[in-house]
Amino acid sequence: MSETPQPATYFISYSRADQNFALRFARDLRERGLAIWVDQLDIRPSEHWDRAIERAVRDCCGLVVILSPRSAASDNVADEISFAIDHGKSVLPVMIERCRLPLRITRMQVIDATGDYDQALQRCVEAISSGPLGSDKEGSPSLPGGVDDRDAISQAKSELATILGPIASILVDKEAKQAGSLGDFYARLAGHIPDGPDRERFAAGKRSKAVPGAARVEKHADAHTDRPIAKSEVDRIGAILTNYLGPIAAILASRESASAISSEDLQQRLALRILDERERAEFLDRVRTA
């Protein structure tokens, strides 16, 4: 065991009450060739616990957070998540029991491990190996495409700086490299905004650029306000979205339906909440054919 994580190491953040699952998950990820750091396996008896944790979070590539009612209420887990996000690291939440998501990860894609453990483990392996947390053989981020729109990047830095401060520039550069599209770029950035109203204003201001046809639809929204979306349709879309965002999906669907002018508009708005481009496309396909 090394004293500090190496460049390709991922930190397991969890509540001590969930240690049995966390240790099993860490060992299974290691068996599949991933570099995983977990306190009970990697802190030497002579090391100072708090300092070892701080160094591990600082040096890791990203966090795998084991979510449960215990970890959601843990100050230590919240501190680890905040430190990682503030330093531009990726966070991959793995839910083992239904719970209220910590504020700073409510917009992130959550891997559901409440049912099929092996499937959740495989999704985590895939996310780390080839998703936003992954790296190629040269040690550079494995990117689905990247965004090179200089105007969009510059504007995003300016807008986010008023909300997040100096860290905004670092986050924008990081997400521009990892995003698969302009819509993905904006969705990733919105996920870093902890305040709900600020996050909604930022996301709303970007829809016309991120979603094809959104500008035209919003321009004529007033002409269609007399045709609200049926609650059954909102519930249907929310139920499908739950597979990607968890329990918060129903709340998001209800909230967005108040300003969406059609079922298609609602679907596009909610699709922006899904950070993974492949899963976003899958959601749109499912919601249109179900």
Side-chain angles (χ1 to χ4, degrees):
M1 294 181 290
S2 61
E3 184 173 343
T4 60
Q6 297 304 310
T9 302
Y10 300 92
F11 180 97
I12 300 287
S13 177
Y14 68 100
S15 164
R16 181 54 59 89
D18 301 321
Q19 64 178 350
N20 290 339
F21 181 96
L23 292 175
R24 176 191 177 190
F25 205 65
R27 291 190 177 102
D28 286 343
L29 290 174
R30 285 181 172 184
E31 288 179 359
R32 286 157 177 77
L34 301 178
I36 301 297
W37 193 97
V38 60
D39 54 5
Q40 295 194 56
L41 300 179
D42 293 301
I43 296 181
R44 297 177 179 178
S46 60
E47 287 187 277
H48 189 284
W49 193 276
D50 290 340
R51 292 176 183 172
I53 293 291
E54 181 179 349
R55 183 169 58 247
V57 178
R58 183 192 65 217
D59 294 343
C60 72
C61 290
L63 261 65
V64 177
V65 182
I66 306 302
L67 287 176
S68 71
R70 281 82 56 190
S71 64
S74 168
D75 289 338
N76 289 336
V77 172
D79 288 343
E80 290 164 2
I81 292 172
S82 292
F83 186 93
I85 292 176
D86 290 344
H87 287 76
K89 301 178 187 296
S90 297
V91 177
L92 182 62
V94 177
M95 181 175 288
I96 63 173
E97 289 184 33
R98 296 298 178 190
C99 62
R100 183 184 298 274
L101 297 180
L103 180 62
R104 300 202 69 177
I105 61 174
T106 54
R107 290 289 303 277
M108 296 181 184
Q109 173 64 32
V110 177
I111 292 178
D112 188 351
T114 60
D116 191 328
Y117 175 88
D118 291 334
Q119 183 179 57
L121 178 67
Q122 183 58 34
R123 288 192 64 192
C124 191
V125 171
E126 293 173 354
I128 292 177
S129 299
S130 60
L133 292 175
S135 61
D136 60 22
K137 295 181 179 180
E138 300 300 324
S140 302
S142 177
L143 310 179
V147 171
D148 58 3
D149 186 327
R150 294 180 181 274
D151 290 338
I153 292 173
S154 177
Q155 184 178 11
K157 287 182 178 180
S158 177
E159 293 179 11
L160 281 184
T162 65
I163 302 173
L164 302 178
I167 190 67
S169 181
I170 297 174
L171 293 176
V172 170
D173 286 338
K174 169 179 171 287
E175 300 298 3
K177 293 177 181 178
Q178 296 183 343
S181 66
L182 196 57
D184 187 27
F185 173 58
Y186 292 139
R188 288 170 178 269
L189 292 178
H192 291 290
I193 303 175
D195 181 71
D198 283 342
R199 185 168 60 241
E200 288 300 320
R201 281 193 293 270
F202 178 83
K206 300 307 178 186
R207 287 191 186 106
S208 61
K209 297 181 179 180
V211 181
R216 175 180 52 79
V217 168
E218 292 184 0
K219 181 178 180 181
H220 298 287
D222 292 341
H224 299 273
T225 54
D226 59 336
R227 294 188 295 182
I229 304 172
K231 184 178 184 301
S232 59
E233 175 67 358
V234 175
D235 292 343
R236 181 187 72 85
I237 296 172
I240 296 174
L241 186 65
T242 299
N243 295 290
Y244 304 92
L245 299 184
I248 197 174
I251 298 174
L252 294 175
S254 178
R255 181 186 303 163
E256 291 291 352
S257 68
S259 55
I261 64 170
S262 66
S263 176
E264 175 65 21
D265 182 30
L266 178 60
Q267 294 164 23
Q268 292 286 0
R269 289 168 180 260
L270 294 175
L272 289 179
R273 306 280 184 162
I274 303 174
L275 300 186
D276 183 272
E277 189 171 15
R278 178 184 60 80
E279 293 189 340
R280 187 184 309 122
E282 180 182 271
F283 163 74
L284 287 172
D285 182 65
R286 290 180 61 182
V287 82
R288 289 165 179 165
T289 57

